[in-house]
Amino acid sequence: MSITSKEYGERIKELIRLAIDTSKPRKYVQSVELIVTFSGVDVKKQQEFRFRDTVFLPKGLGKNNKICMVLDDTQVQRATELGVYRAIGKSELSKIDKKTAKKIAQECDWVLVRADLMGLAGRVLGPALGPRGKAPIAIPPTASIESIVAQYRNATRLHSKEQPWVGCRIGTVKMSIEDLTENAIAVLHYIEEKIKRPLLQVARIYVKTTSSPALEL
């Protein structure tokens, strides 16, 4: 049975509800996380089980991602108007030191770079971004800044670190159960499509919040 079936959708919904209900109170808004563990899989040999992927969530994350964009100098103002956390022009990029690069890597969820500036961005920002699993993402020079920003505000990152499991945020406890469920199913469907086999045959699925235990589907 497909993970996207109505039956499993209802089970995922109840699991998310239970995870939120068992969360310990916190002064901040907690994330809701999805975890998938694989069994009988050799991640080093089976490349389809290695993840460094982006999934665009249909209902967003409940809060905007902090996006950094590296652009042509003429595009910086427009990116700033769109609410980009940090817009960096080519002229500024060449002057960024290691301390600033590290701060950008710590603060930004996504670093999006015009494809024709990737070489320079890789040299300047790459050493700080790489260890944090935030390698810069190339965007076409002619791409609409508006559409790119809208996409990545709702993006979540799947990163397995060569281990037989993968996890990601699917929203916050402030979101509706229905929206969180739709996000979870979108991520699970993405994983199933990538590994090209029924997810329920090779994996266990868990949901948790920042403070709740992981609950298995």
Side-chain angles (χ1 to χ4, degrees):
M1 184 179 293
S2 171
I3 196 66
T4 59
S5 70
K6 183 176 180 180
E7 176 187 343
Y8 276 101
E10 290 301 316
R11 289 177 61 180
I12 292 167
K13 182 185 293 185
E14 289 307 310
L15 193 66
I16 292 171
R17 192 189 310 277
L18 182 59
I20 292 174
D21 288 345
T22 56
S23 295
K24 297 177 182 178
R26 292 288 187 268
K27 293 182 179 180
Y28 55 87
V29 178
Q30 298 184 52
S31 294
V32 179
E33 302 166 19
L34 184 70
I35 301 167
V36 178
T37 63
F38 303 108
S39 57
V41 169
D42 187 336
V43 178
K44 293 183 179 179
K45 294 180 180 178
Q46 294 170 277
Q47 297 294 316
E48 68 270 27
F49 287 92
R50 298 175 67 176
F51 288 84
R52 192 176 290 238
D53 299 55
T54 303
V55 179
F56 301 107
L57 300 175
K59 298 300 182 180
L61 280 165
K63 58 181 179 180
N64 287 338
N65 281 317
K66 292 181 179 179
I67 299 171
C68 172
M69 299 189 82
V70 178
L71 305 158
D72 185 79
D73 289 345
T74 60
Q75 298 173 301
V76 169
Q77 182 176 347
R78 181 55 182 151
T80 302
E81 291 170 351
L82 291 169
V84 168
Y85 184 75
R86 180 154 186 172
I88 301 170
K90 181 179 179 181
S91 58
E92 181 187 354
L93 178 64
S94 61
K95 301 174 185 176
I96 288 177
D97 57 22
K98 291 182 179 179
K99 183 178 179 180
T100 304
K102 185 177 180 180
K103 184 178 180 181
I104 291 169
Q106 290 172 335
E107 294 179 348
C108 293
D109 298 303
W110 299 96
V111 178
L112 312 177
V113 182
R114 269 182 57 129
D116 54 345
L117 297 176
M118 279 292 285
L120 178 58
R123 292 193 297 274
V124 175
L125 301 176
L129 294 170
R132 293 171 174 79
K134 298 180 181 180
I137 296 171
I139 57 174
T142 57
S144 161
I145 298 177
E146 290 83 355
S147 62
I148 293 292
V149 170
Q151 276 189 313
Y152 279 88
R153 277 186 174 147
N154 295 335
T156 192
R157 182 180 279 107
L158 288 171
H159 194 184
S160 61
K161 299 183 180 179
E162 299 187 2
Q163 299 297 320
W165 68 274
V166 66
C168 68
R169 291 183 297 146
I170 57 170
T172 74
V173 296
K174 295 291 187 180
M175 293 173 64
S176 72
I177 301 297
E178 290 74 20
D179 285 355
L180 288 165
T181 301
E182 191 170 339
N183 283 348
I185 290 174
V187 172
L188 294 171
H189 181 66
Y190 180 94
I191 295 171
E192 195 168 57
E193 288 289 304
K194 180 172 180 176
I195 66 176
K196 296 181 172 61
R197 65 199 75 186
L199 191 58
L200 295 168
Q201 292 181 7
V202 295
R204 290 183 174 182
I205 299 165
Y206 302 85
V207 173
K208 68 181 295 294
T209 68
T210 307
S211 68
S212 76
L215 305 177
E216 184 176 358
L217 181 68

